[in-house]
Amino acid sequence: RKSVTYTHIPKCGGTSFVAETKIKFQGQNCYHALRQEHMMNTVLIRSPRQHVHSQYGECRYDKWGQVVTNNTAFPRTDNSTADYESYVKHFYELNDTQVGKENCFACQDPRETQTRHMSCDSAPSPEANYALQYPPRLDIALANLMDVDFLGVTDFFRTSLCIFRYRRLGVLPDGCDCGTQTKKKIQHIRHFVPSNFSSQPISHLDYMVDSITKLDSVLFVAGLIRFLEDVEVAEKISGKKLLCNQEKAQSLLQTYMETEACRKFGCDNLRATVQSLRRVKTIPSCLHPRRVNNGL
């Protein structure tokens, strides 16, 4: 079996994934910096609206987040819902020249985080947490996402973990079949975020979140299309049902297909794009002009 390298995009379930898989070669850096030709290159992505909310949660509740945001204007009062709105509004009102540590409360900049990690050249932690001087490139990110040997989706973490192990070991682990009565308990490292945090009413902020994750929305749709294709292949080979909530997956795909960014980009054609890009090698990301046309 191949050794594994894992590009850890913050708040995409990476700490839990590493704890479950015991991957040693991993880091919070650009995919281009971590990719290894003869290793199983691995990435997890996440639906952007949940991803941005989770990034705020780590900055608010995690001990590391509390330390780095200390003495900044990070919104932290007794009203976490209102604070999250202030957090999103802060990034919504920034322009693309306002980058770096000083513009994200020294914590995580949620603007196009996933596209940033999948298209930058090298930005060792914590540099990739911040918006970089050069803008993220959707064309590079899409090609690199299709270059990945294993792509998981945090929103379907159990299925992702099962297929990763199946791909790597050649044996489907116990408890992966949807028909199995007993499911193996999976580690969920919460970074001190309360269990009810994800149930907060935040949908009224979708328009602002979508505005700061336009590229990530397109990238997520492409990634989810690929993931569902990979699930279908794994189910056919194993003869087992591995994605237990197909309706949720299709609903999530449709939600992001209908975002303004996805409609403008032409996400209806992404399925063909995914298939063609999977045959293309990774695109180097060494040169980044200050202004790029990402098709949005």
Side-chain angles (χ1 to χ4, degrees):
R1 69 187 186 186
K2 280 187 176 182
S3 296
V4 178
T5 175
Y6 174 55
T7 300
H8 183 168
I9 301 174
K11 300 312 298 170
C12 285
T15 306
S16 300
F17 187 73
V18 170
E20 282 284 340
T21 59
K22 313 301 181 189
I23 295 172
K24 292 183 173 59
F25 192 79
Q26 60 89 27
Q28 292 187 9
N29 200 336
C30 310
Y31 175 72
H32 186 264
L34 291 168
R35 181 185 186 274
Q36 298 293 316
E37 186 67 35
H38 302 294
M39 295 178 73
M40 184 178 179
N41 297 288
T42 302
V43 173
L44 265 66
I45 60 171
R46 188 172 189 176
S47 55
R49 293 172 185 172
Q50 291 302 315
H51 189 219
V52 172
H53 192 223
S54 184
Q55 287 176 286
Y56 172 75
E58 182 171 25
C59 293
R60 179 184 178 91
Y61 294 106
D62 187 76
K63 291 180 180 178
W64 165 81
Q66 292 178 354
V67 169
V68 297
T69 58
N70 190 32
N71 296 322
T72 73
F74 182 81
R76 186 185 284 108
T77 69
D78 292 336
N79 189 335
S80 62
T81 302
D83 289 345
Y84 178 61
E85 183 168 349
S86 298
Y87 172 84
V88 171
K89 187 177 181 181
H90 166 79
F91 291 102
Y92 178 74
E93 292 177 344
L94 293 180
N95 63 56
D96 63 0
T97 66
Q98 293 175 289
V99 299
K101 181 178 180 179
E102 63 275 14
N103 284 297
C104 64
F105 313 109
C107 193
Q108 295 184 31
D109 193 319
R111 294 177 292 173
E112 314 294 9
T113 302
Q114 299 179 77
T115 307
R116 180 166 70 243
H117 280 78
M118 292 307 299
S119 67
C120 60
D121 184 31
S122 180
S125 181
E127 186 182 348
N129 283 344
Y130 319 136
L132 303 175
Q133 288 295 324
Y134 48 82
R137 289 273 301 273
L138 181 59
D139 56 342
I140 293 173
L142 283 169
N144 286 343
L145 196 68
M146 296 307 120
D147 174 77
V148 168
D149 296 298
F150 172 78
L151 176 64
V153 176
T154 311
D155 306 76
F156 306 98
F157 188 80
R158 179 181 291 275
T159 301
S160 297
L161 193 58
C162 284
I163 295 179
F164 170 80
R165 287 170 168 157
Y166 189 32
R167 287 272 304 277
R168 190 173 184 222
L169 304 176
V171 177
L172 189 67
D174 293 338
C176 287
D177 184 358
C178 293
T180 302
Q181 297 297 319
T182 304
K183 300 290 185 183
K184 179 187 174 184
K185 186 175 180 180
I186 292 176
Q187 296 186 64
H188 183 188
I189 299 172
R190 302 193 58 87
H191 297 282
F192 303 97
V193 176
S195 58
N196 65 346
F197 180 71
S198 60
S199 63
Q200 288 183 345
I202 58 173
S203 60
H204 64 291
L205 302 176
D206 285 352
Y207 76 97
M208 284 197 286
V209 174
D210 290 351
S211 179
I212 65 174
T213 58
K214 293 177 181 178
L215 307 184
D216 278 5
S217 293
V218 176
L219 190 72
F220 178 71
V221 167
L224 185 54
I225 288 172
R226 174 187 163 166
F227 175 73
L228 293 176
E229 290 178 353
D230 290 347
V231 169
E232 184 178 358
V233 170
E235 289 182 334
K236 285 181 178 178
I237 294 173
S238 67
K240 305 291 185 182
K241 184 173 176 58
L242 304 178
L243 183 59
C244 305
N245 196 337
Q246 184 68 233
E247 289 184 2
K248 176 186 174 183
Q250 292 302 326
S251 175
L252 192 61
L253 180 61
Q254 190 61 34
T255 293
Y256 284 93
M257 289 279 286
E258 292 175 353
T259 59
E260 181 180 351
C262 226
R263 290 198 303 269
K264 186 174 181 180
F265 181 83
C267 283
D268 287 340
N269 300 317
L270 263 182
R271 196 172 301 277
T273 303
V274 165
Q275 292 172 352
S276 63
L277 283 176
R278 293 187 77 166
R279 297 190 291 269
V280 178
K281 287 188 176 292
T282 179
I283 297 177
S285 53
C286 302
L287 300 176
H288 295 268
R290 176 63 245 174
R291 298 282 180 179
V292 296
N293 181 3
N294 280 299
L296 297 177

